Amino acid sequence: MCTRPHIVVVGSSNTDMVVQVARIPRPGETILGGAFTMAAGGKGANQAVAAARAGANVTFVARVGDDLFGRKALEGFQADGIDVQHVTRDRQAASGVALIQVARNGQNSIAVAAGANGRLSPDDVRAAEGAIRSASIVLCQLEVPLETVAETVRIASKVGVPVLLNPAPAPEQALEASLTAAISYLTPNETEAAQLAGGDGSGRTERTEADDSEAAAQRLREAGAGTVIVTLGAAGALVASPEGVARIAGFRVEPVDTTGAGDVFNGVLAVALAERRALADAVRFACAAAAISVTRLGAQPSIPHRAEIEAFLASQTQA
Ligand code: RIB
């Protein structure tokens, strides 16, 4: 890599309150958990940090509250070298908070109080048009208002910058056709792919999951998305592009906490694509980063730096 690519991330920032539990409690049930930890999170912020640690110059467009959590979040972004001139400190709303339970098998459940994230506006994005113009790629998720994401996509399309949309959390309704058609890279997980493509993502058997993901990816491509990459957790990813469908194998690791693994995948994928790596190679690089992240607790604390991703991949090749 000769020069660091410039990536703009538009999205959320949260403080994660994490309790480790033996298993995720059922509705109405109280269980005694283990250690409590607080860590920086939020899908947008996690992706911004992942991209920065993987080697990009990152501009983050976000809103935090004018409170302790907001100040801490800003300090964290700056420590990772992220350009925060478009991170607004909002006096009308508190910083976003996520309540997270992490089970012994690494799975989690998350409830988010959006706070200031819910006030990230199309005007905030218009104020960052200059940064978007000079970016190699723009990265968005759906933890901020959809109209803000739509404005981001509109501006990026107008100035010819590709958009990577990670449709998480899954929207209640299908995305508008004009929005889908302007997305260069759409990166749902299996459930999100099924929901976006018109299914509900439930009731599937082991045997048909892969076929369902491929069918959903193809439907999303028919709806206009350029390349659809369905993340499959430990199983890697399914890539549906104009060149056809390919499966990229995942990496076998001992999971501690899967929180933010999808975000790491997206942030690192954006960097690899901005560096013009071949698509399969870019997806493998992103899968490696996500695999490392699940071996550690917490969203942003678990995000690897580039050297670690490269060392991990080298060790896999030698194994
Ligand atoms: O994707 C993981 C993230 O989802 C967490 O960091 C939490 O803040 C929620 O936004």
Side-chain angles (χ1 to χ4, degrees), residues 14 16 41-43 46 98 110 143 259-260 263 299:
N14 293 329
D16 293 350
K43 295 185 192 306
N46 297 343
I110 305 179
E143 226 172 30
T259 308
D263 304 329

Side-chain angles (χ1 to χ4, degrees), residues 30-231:
T30 301
I31 61 170
L32 293 180
F36 165 75
T37 44
M38 214 165 77
K43 295 185 192 306
N46 297 343
Q47 294 182 13
V49 170
R53 292 188 189 166
N57 289 330
V58 175
T59 299
F60 189 31
V61 183
R63 269 185 188 254
V64 296
D66 190 18
D67 49 26
L68 177 65
F69 289 164
R71 278 199 294 284
K72 284 271 167 218
L74 273 165
E75 280 168 23
F77 303 148
Q78 282 164 323
D80 273 303
I82 293 170
D83 165 19
V84 295
Q85 44 164 328
H86 294 288
V87 179
T88 303
R89 288 176 68 172
D90 191 316
R91 289 171 184 275
Q92 313 295 320
S95 295
V97 168
L99 299 184
I100 304 183
Q101 297 160 340
V102 177
R104 218 170 264 154
N105 64 2
Q107 285 179 334
N108 61 46
S109 83
I110 305 179
V112 175
N117 296 308
R119 290 166 46 84
L120 189 69
S121 70
D123 274 346
D124 293 328
V125 178
R126 286 192 276 273
E129 179 166 340
I132 293 173
R133 270 179 192 280
S134 71
S136 301
I137 192 160
V138 172
L139 181 52
C140 315
Q141 331 71 35
L142 299 178
E143 226 172 30
V144 295
L146 193 53
E147 56 174 356
T148 305
V149 175
E151 182 64 359
T152 307
V153 174
R154 192 192 66 75
I155 292 174
S157 303
K158 183 183 78 176
V159 301
V161 173
V163 175
L164 193 169
L165 174 65
N166 172 222
E172 307 253 307
Q173 289 155 0
L175 296 174
E176 275 192 22
S178 60
L179 182 65
T180 307
I183 306 296
S184 303
Y185 302 96
L186 186 66
T187 58
N189 64 20
E190 291 159 281
T191 310
E192 291 151 1
Q195 276 178 243
L196 284 172
D200 65 1
S202 65
R204 294 182 156 74
T205 65
E206 275 297 303
R207 203 177 59 76
T208 60
E209 259 175 15
D211 297 339
D212 285 352
S213 292
E214 181 170 339
Q218 294 291 24
R219 280 205 295 281
L220 291 168
R221 284 211 64 240
E222 281 156 22
T227 291
V228 179
I229 301 166
V230 183
T231 53

